[in-house]
Amino acid sequence: MRAFIFPGQGSQTVGMGKALADASVAARHVFEEVDEALKQNLFRLMTEGPEEGLRLTENAQPAIMANALAVLAVLEKEGGIRLTDKADFVAGHSLGEYSALAAADAFDITTTARLLKQRGQAMQAAVPVGEGTMAAILGLDLETVEAIAADAAQGDVCQAANDNAPGQVVISGSVAAIERAVSLAKERGARRAVMLDVSAPFHCSLMQPAAEVMAKALKAMPPRQPVIPVFANVSATAESDPKKITELLIEQITGRVRWRESIAAMAEAGVDEFVEFGGKVLSPMIRRIAPDSKAISLVTPADIENFAAHL
């Protein structure tokens, strides 16, 4: 069994998509469709920068999606590989869940780009710059990090935001609380506890204003039923009902990304090959969560060609 997976924010790099667009008409069509949907030359920003412009949440989110779906378009339209024939599940990390839903035909590319642009703008606007942040805690399990977050909160917001892999948990909340949590984590045996260079405290209760924005956006642009089940971040279970998917996408803005549990559940269901589209950030996590499975990253035209041959 196989799962197609899609990366989240932080996987963007200046130059992304250029080799794909140079080599493939199908990839160029994806980038052109996203540019048209957003009335913005996002592809130029992706390929030429500047990096600070690409790093902006409202640009990074649709850019990462466009790059991932361009890889999928090359595989499907030029490699002759149909997702429904070769994948049993799709999943994505945070914004990657929208890419996964688009891959499974729950959203078209235009709708996905517009939703992610709104999502990025809403998440950035939810908390004034400098009031919220995130930190990575390495070497401690989720339960220990949750206890640290509770002790560090002291009336502020401090929550486990991303359960990425065994011993890799990201926390999110107000700056003072996250700083306290980093100090506590070091005292309690973390191998490493570091503040992250992020523009907002994603996946915590401070994002509630963004959740309200996305509730309205998803009401106006609801998903269709996906052609294969999507493992949702919030539930860590396979979902196919559009109403439930909508509820979980809204909840995802403030809720934890249960990536470790999602991958473990897919492995338990029989998935033994995970294919990452447009990035190389999820595959190392998967190798730690499900060491008996195979994790493949598709980024370049050569990667896609080799994978198609392998199929």
Side-chain angles (χ1 to χ4, degrees):
M1 292 179 69
R2 185 180 293 112
F4 285 2
I5 59 170
F6 298 84
Q9 201 159 336
S11 60
Q12 73 276 0
T13 56
V14 173
M16 65 193 297
K18 186 176 187 310
L20 287 172
D22 288 346
S24 165
V25 172
R28 287 198 296 276
H29 284 168
V30 171
F31 297 129
E32 288 164 1
E33 186 171 348
V34 171
D35 278 2
E36 176 61 27
L38 301 181
K39 306 301 181 191
Q40 173 188 1
N41 198 333
L42 183 64
F43 183 64
R44 180 184 293 172
L45 181 62
M46 292 165 61
T47 54
E48 300 177 11
E51 186 177 343
E52 57 268 25
L54 182 58
R55 201 187 306 126
L56 287 174
T57 302
E58 66 177 83
N59 294 327
Q61 294 199 19
I64 292 163
M65 176 276 296
N67 190 55
L69 292 185
V71 173
L72 180 63
V74 175
L75 183 67
E76 289 192 321
K77 294 177 181 173
E78 296 178 11
I81 307 298
R82 290 180 53 178
L83 175 139
T84 48
D85 293 337
K86 299 299 182 182
D88 299 281
F89 301 108
V90 291
H93 191 282
S94 190
L95 81 90
E97 192 166 314
Y98 286 79
S99 306
L101 286 161
D105 201 33
F107 293 121
D108 58 37
I109 290 173
T110 292
T111 299
T112 312
R114 289 174 178 166
L115 284 169
L116 285 174
K117 187 74 172 181
Q118 286 192 52
R119 184 178 184 269
Q121 290 171 335
M123 292 173 89
Q124 190 61 65
V127 181
V129 174
E131 291 189 11
T133 192
M134 304 176 78
I137 312 297
L138 306 181
L140 298 176
D141 61 27
L142 175 63
E143 292 72 20
T144 303
V145 174
E146 286 183 310
I148 288 168
D151 290 344
Q154 297 179 23
D156 295 324
V157 173
C158 188
Q159 296 170 227
N162 299 352
D163 180 15
N164 285 333
Q168 185 182 338
V169 181
V170 175
I171 58 174
S172 183
S174 61
V175 171
I178 298 299
E179 287 174 343
R180 289 192 293 268
V182 165
S183 296
L184 279 176
K186 291 174 180 175
E187 291 172 13
R188 297 183 189 180
R191 189 172 75 250
R192 200 164 173 230
V194 292
M195 306 290 283
L196 298 179
D197 181 16
V198 293
S199 56
F202 305 128
H203 299 292
C204 75
S205 60
L206 294 174
M207 287 285 112
Q208 184 56 36
E212 292 165 9
V213 170
M214 291 312 295
K216 293 177 183 176
L218 286 160
K219 185 177 181 181
M221 295 179 278
R224 300 180 289 264
Q225 182 168 341
V227 294
I228 61 173
V230 180
F231 258 80
N233 287 179
V234 169
S235 66
T237 57
E239 308 288 353
S240 293
D241 176 59
K243 184 179 178 183
K244 182 67 172 175
I245 288 168
T246 299
E247 292 170 359
L248 292 173
L249 286 175
I250 296 165
E251 190 179 343
Q252 189 222 63
I253 299 287
T254 58
R256 180 183 307 156
V257 175
R258 296 168 61 186
W259 189 250
R260 175 183 59 83
E261 293 175 80
S262 296
I263 297 301
M266 281 185 268
E268 181 69 22
V271 173
D272 53 9
E273 184 172 272
F274 295 87
V275 186
E276 179 178 2
F277 284 75
K280 295 185 177 183
V281 292
L282 300 178
S283 298
M285 296 179 196
I286 288 163
R287 294 184 187 107
R288 293 177 58 198
I289 301 163
D292 294 333
S293 66
K294 186 175 184 181
I296 301 168
S297 296
L298 305 184
V299 177
T300 67
D303 293 337
I304 301 167
E305 187 175 344
N306 291 338
F307 179 65
H310 149 75
L311 290 175

